[in-house]
Amino acid sequence: MLVSSFWCTELGMDLSEAGLEPSPAAMRELIAQVADRVIAYYGSLENQRASDTEGAAEVAGLVVEALPEKGQPYESLLELIFSRLISKGFNTNAPGSFSYINGGALFHCAIADLITAVTNPYVGYWGASPGMAQVEDTVIRWFADMIGWPADAGGVLLSGGSLANLSALIAARKALLGDDFGLGTLYASDQVHHSINKAAMLAGFPEDALRLIPSDGAFRLRIDALTERVAEDRKAGRRPFLVIGTAGTTNSGAVDDLQRLGSFASANELWFHVDAAYGGFFALTERGRAVLQGIELADTVVLDPHKSLFTPFGTGCLLARDVRKLQSAHQLHSDYIDAAVDLGIEANAVSFADLSPELSRGMRGLRIWLPMKLLGAGAFRRALDEKLDLAAMAAEKIATMPGFVLVAAPELSTLAFRAHEAGLSGPELDRLNVEVLDRLNRRGRVHLSASLMHDRYTLRICVLSLRSHAAALATCLEELSVCRHP
Ligand SMILES: *Cc1c(COP(=O)(O)O)cnc(C)c1O
């Protein structure tokens, strides 16, 4: 299926011969063959299934093996990866990927990753690679500007929202509770992402320390219930320290009233954290900015570029309005590092290793910086606006589609709905929805997901993938109709 690249002259060369350090010709060949595969891959994305799980276990079995002592032909390895392994499972890059919150990976990020993987800069301490560390810090600065934060704001790029939530929670714990935090309590709505539960667990809190506050009819945290709970806890001798607002819930994309939550937190001397892993980058758009109003009141904010900024997985971000608070929760000194990073350079930036648990890690900033510089923020703003438009259109259509009811209209680009039929009991309706989803995902043209919302099985569409345009959404609605009335 593949033609070799026109600029490769040494077909059939033995790429394992040179060992760990390939010749320039071998490098060309390594890149050329992948370039062909990658371009063919992108070319076929439009027609790729959004999910394909048939025979997936057998395919996975192809790579269960002991460590090979000798090398194997490159082409056969690429064939295995591109033709067998990649196609199984959920296709996060497909236009029909409407299930989970992921943006599909932007090609330019892969180029940035190639550069950082080749040059291997160490950005943990500013002085070790000032230029590249500054690239990452500039990206952080762009994000802080987007939120509307002052110069002493800062942050760090992490592997994802989960790690970012953990570090935020620990910073809050450290600042407000100190070492003896056994009685501490934190608050979030019953729609909160489970990475917050996990962060609380990892940070050493017993399970009941996280108080799940009921959400209202629009799935937003009920501030009246929060007020009551905090007062009750105080009275009982507990130590409330942290309120978490979600800017884009996983179930329905609901955005808590950040303005009021922020005021509440401030009046009650609580740390205010906003989990904007999904919704944060909609702040680049006018509509998103309006919905996210109040996010600037947060002490810490989590963003996930690998969701609403279309970067590949492994790109999360934690921002702090006062970066020193993040630093005091994560900074330690050691003789070997203090000596090693003192290069005599006047560092005016904070070092990332002092803001998170990570010391050695890959550079993440270039995969944001390069596309932003190359394409401009406008390209991202337009893509996000498109997702908002498509979600609004989907909600409008579903509200009038026979056999469906809309459960949550999109505040951002996610909507929740159910298959409905008059006269069916709750459990019967749940079963109907399970069946519709199962049928639809088996067909694989589009991929959707479901969740329990206020105890009812609910379907959801998340329009966030880079390549989900109007045609993919039309297919999605068509598939829903077909699977509802088979
Ligand atoms: C995805 C998500 C997370 C978890 O982030 P990961 O990048 O998957 O670790 C946390 N909170 C919200 C609201 C999310 O959407």
Side-chain angles (χ1 to χ4, degrees):
M1 163 184 107
L2 289 159
V3 285
S4 248
S5 165
F6 63 93
W7 50 275
C8 167
T9 51
E10 303 194 38
L11 291 173
M13 65 189 300
D14 182 356
L15 291 163
S16 67
E17 196 180 24
L20 299 185
E21 300 195 69
S23 66
M27 285 186 210
R28 280 219 161 77
E29 180 66 11
L30 287 162
I31 292 176
Q33 285 200 34
V34 159
D36 287 341
R37 295 274 182 177
V38 163
I39 291 164
Y41 167 82
Y42 277 107
S44 69
L45 262 180
E46 194 61 34
N47 299 313
Q48 281 179 27
R49 291 168 59 110
S51 81
D52 173 14
T53 50
E54 218 177 296
E58 290 82 71
V59 168
L62 296 173
V63 286
V64 178
E65 59 178 344
L67 180 68
E69 185 56 32
K70 284 199 165 151
Q72 198 175 311
Y74 184 45
E75 210 175 326
S76 70
L77 298 175
L78 293 183
E79 178 66 17
L80 174 68
I81 296 167
F82 280 90
S83 298
R84 307 298 306 275
L85 302 176
I86 286 176
S87 59
K88 289 298 165 191
F90 306 158
N91 189 346
T92 63
N93 277 339
S97 179
F98 293 110
S99 48
Y100 299 102
I101 303 174
N102 83 78
L106 187 66
F107 176 72
H108 306 80
C109 300
I111 300 302
D113 279 9
L114 176 65
I115 297 170
T116 54
V118 166
T119 57
N120 206 25
Y122 177 67
V123 296
Y125 284 92
W126 197 84
S129 183
M132 292 305 239
Q134 187 56 51
V135 163
E136 205 154 292
D137 206 50
T138 294
V139 165
I140 296 281
R141 189 62 247 162
W142 291 341
F143 294 171
D145 285 344
M146 179 184 81
I147 286 180
W149 274 353
D152 49 2
V156 58
L157 297 178
L158 293 163
S159 61
S162 299
L163 250 287
N165 275 329
L166 174 63
S167 266
L169 201 146
I170 287 176
R173 189 197 76 191
K174 193 107 174 164
L176 291 180
L177 298 179
D179 290 336
D180 188 10
F181 54 83
L183 293 173
T185 46
L186 53 154
Y187 303 80
S189 92
D190 56 14
Q191 300 295 304
V192 74
H193 190 274
H194 80 286
S195 61
I196 294 286
N197 307 60
K198 197 179 202 175
M201 177 177 85
L202 294 175
F205 289 98
E207 205 177 314
D208 83 328
L210 174 59
R211 312 299 211 193
L212 292 182
I213 307 300
S215 50
D216 63 18
F219 302 97
R220 293 192 201 115
L221 189 149
R222 272 181 43 203
I223 297 178
D224 60 323
L226 171 71
T227 309
E228 252 171 54
R229 193 70 208 258
V230 168
E232 258 171 43
D233 282 339
R234 281 234 161 88
K235 216 155 131 204
R238 301 298 295 256
R239 298 172 65 202
F241 75 103
L242 167 64
V243 173
I244 296 152
T246 304
T249 62
T250 308
N251 282 341
S252 64
V255 179
D256 287 332
D257 187 337
L258 303 178
Q259 196 84 49
R260 281 185 63 207
L261 273 184
S263 307
F264 175 86
S266 151
N268 288 275
E269 291 173 5
L270 304 170
W271 186 286
F272 181 35
H273 174 63
V274 174
D275 181 357
Y278 157 44
F281 289 107
F282 283 98
L284 289 171
T285 71
E286 207 171 302
R287 282 172 285 176
R289 236 187 340 271
V291 172
L292 296 167
Q293 215 176 41
I295 193 172
E296 69 283 356
L297 302 174
D299 292 285
T300 39
V301 168
V302 163
L303 303 169
D304 249 351
H306 64 204
K307 289 176 174 161
S308 38
L309 215 53
F310 316 114
T311 72
F313 289 124
T315 332
C317 177
L318 173 58
L319 298 176
R321 183 152 43 92
D322 178 355
V323 74
R324 285 164 305 186
K325 290 190 181 163
L326 209 53
Q327 196 172 13
S328 50
H330 292 91
Q331 187 171 33
L332 279 179
H333 288 285
S334 72
D335 297 338
Y336 38 91
I337 285 183
D338 290 351
V341 295
D342 181 14
L343 303 180
I345 298 169
E346 200 58 48
N348 54 6
V350 181
S351 284
F352 298 122
D354 294 336
L355 302 180
S356 91
E358 295 186 309
L359 181 57
S360 300
R361 63 160 168 95
M363 181 189 182
R364 301 183 175 110
L366 202 67
R367 55 163 76 154
I368 297 163
W369 185 89
L370 185 69
M372 279 291 182
K373 290 285 285 181
L374 193 63
L375 310 171
F380 291 85
R381 180 172 300 117
R382 285 188 292 276
L384 290 168
D385 263 324
E386 181 201 28
K387 307 310 165 198
L388 294 174
D389 289 341
L390 291 177
M393 188 162 68
E396 222 171 89
K397 291 258 163 71
I398 284 176
T400 58
M401 245 162 80
F404 288 98
V405 288
L406 191 64
V407 173
E411 281 183 73
L412 295 169
S413 70
T414 299
L415 51 137
F417 60 99
R418 290 188 193 111
H420 188 74
E421 191 165 314
L424 292 188
S425 70
E428 284 167 338
L429 281 172
D430 284 354
R431 209 161 327 121
L432 172 69
N433 278 276
V434 170
E435 284 164 14
V436 171
L437 183 69
D438 186 53
R439 239 174 261 139
L440 178 135
N441 281 343
R442 271 177 203 283
R443 288 161 61 92
R445 292 180 76 198
V446 299
H447 195 239
L448 297 188
S449 65
S451 186
L452 281 186
M453 291 179 70
H454 291 169
D455 295 326
R456 285 264 78 92
Y457 191 86
T458 306
L459 309 180
R460 52 192 288 292
I461 291 178
C462 176
V463 190
L464 194 63
S465 190
L466 183 58
R467 298 170 197 89
S468 299
H469 306 299
L473 185 68
T475 305
C476 177
L477 297 174
E478 194 184 299
E479 286 291 289
L480 274 171
S481 182
V482 168
C483 295
R484 172 67 181 85
H485 311 284

